[in-house]
Amino acid sequence: MAELLEDGDIYFLYRPRVAEEHVDSLEEVQRLLVIMHPWQGRHLRLLVVGRKRLPGIDAHDRFWAFVDEVVDRPEQLHETLRAREYRTKTRGEREQPPARPAAEGAYVIARHDDHTHLAYELELPLRPGPAQHGLSIESEASYIVTVKNPQAPSPPGVGLGGDRKVKLPAALQRRFHGRRFAPVDPPGFLDHPGTEIVLIGAAHDASEELQIDLDAEVERAERSTIFGDLRIGRRERPVAPLFVGEWA
């Protein structure tokens, strides 16, 4: 049986590519964003998944992601999620639409043998639709998750560099014991912007694999929605697609 380290609300959003007013496929998505709101503590984490979708479970895909922001108040994420305007030399001013919600539910981080898992179960949509299929967001899934040692070298062109590279507190840095990767234990690794992680597709039935009652976790999450928890006005985001699983 796995040992629960952290649980909370999880939200999946996607940001359309510049000038894409309506998204019909993954090709028109620029980024997949994941927001984690632990129930113990008031902070929220914004993660960016590098491949624009979650790792495939059956293929045991291995995808890179990183912590982009850690904030104390939901309003601090509004700047990141809102529409953006760009001025280009050839096309003048262009707008990138705001991030759009794709799914919400509950998550756990759990210690399982010598590694850690990030698992979730969705509350919305009730049945995955085209948007979730495109983003590889399943109704329930588990991923082995490891954190990269920021002091270990990365291949050229891979990972964060410069002032975006994280400098972890000494207590967390010692957890690597000189290794390139370590379990996300404690989950406090994720409370530092610039932390890089690797997600590996592990199981569809996370509850059975980890022996953790994700249904009970989702019942706790029902008190929160992406609009209420993040204090996003419904006028600012399309609502219906979240319930039916469609692109927006």
Side-chain angles (χ1 to χ4, degrees), residues 10-11 13 31-36 44-50 65-70 77 118 145 190-191 195 197 199:
I10 191 166
Y11 308 110
L13 304 94
R31 277 187 162 184
L32 172 62
L33 308 175
V34 181
I35 295 175
M36 304 169 69
L44 298 92
R45 311 177 183 117
L46 174 67
L47 281 67
V48 176
V49 180
F66 67 93
V67 180
D68 191 35
E69 292 186 57
V70 179
L77 291 176
L118 169 63
V145 57
L190 304 179
D191 292 336
T195 295
I197 63 173
L199 296 166

Side-chain angles (χ1 to χ4, degrees), residues 6-24:
E6 180 181 283
D7 51 7
D9 296 303
I10 191 166
Y11 308 110
F12 299 93
L13 304 94
Y14 59 94
R15 182 176 282 283
R17 296 173 65 89
V18 174
E20 294 288 355
E21 291 297 326
H22 182 82
V23 172
D24 292 303

Side-chain angles (χ1 to χ4, degrees), residues 80-116:
T80 301
L81 303 178
R82 71 174 182 84
R84 301 172 178 175
E85 292 186 355
Y86 294 86
R87 177 177 291 277
T88 66
K89 293 181 179 180
T90 56
R91 299 188 182 184
E93 289 205 6
R94 307 186 74 196
E95 181 178 285
Q96 183 176 40
R100 297 170 181 176
E104 62 182 55
Y107 79 91
V108 299
I109 296 175
R111 182 189 300 121
H112 190 217
D113 296 330
D114 62 349
H115 55 272
T116 46

Side-chain angles (χ1 to χ4, degrees), residues 104 122-129 132 139 218 222 242-245:
E104 62 182 55
L122 295 186
E123 179 189 356
L124 290 174
L126 297 178
R127 293 183 180 179
Q132 293 72 45
S139 295
V218 170
E222 286 180 354
L242 176 61
F243 289 84
V244 298

Side-chain angles (χ1 to χ4, degrees), residues 149 151 168-179 182 189:
N149 185 344
Q151 296 182 0
L168 294 171
L172 290 178
Q173 186 63 48
R174 285 195 294 269
R175 293 269 183 164
F176 290 99
H177 301 290
R179 299 170 296 176
F189 274 114

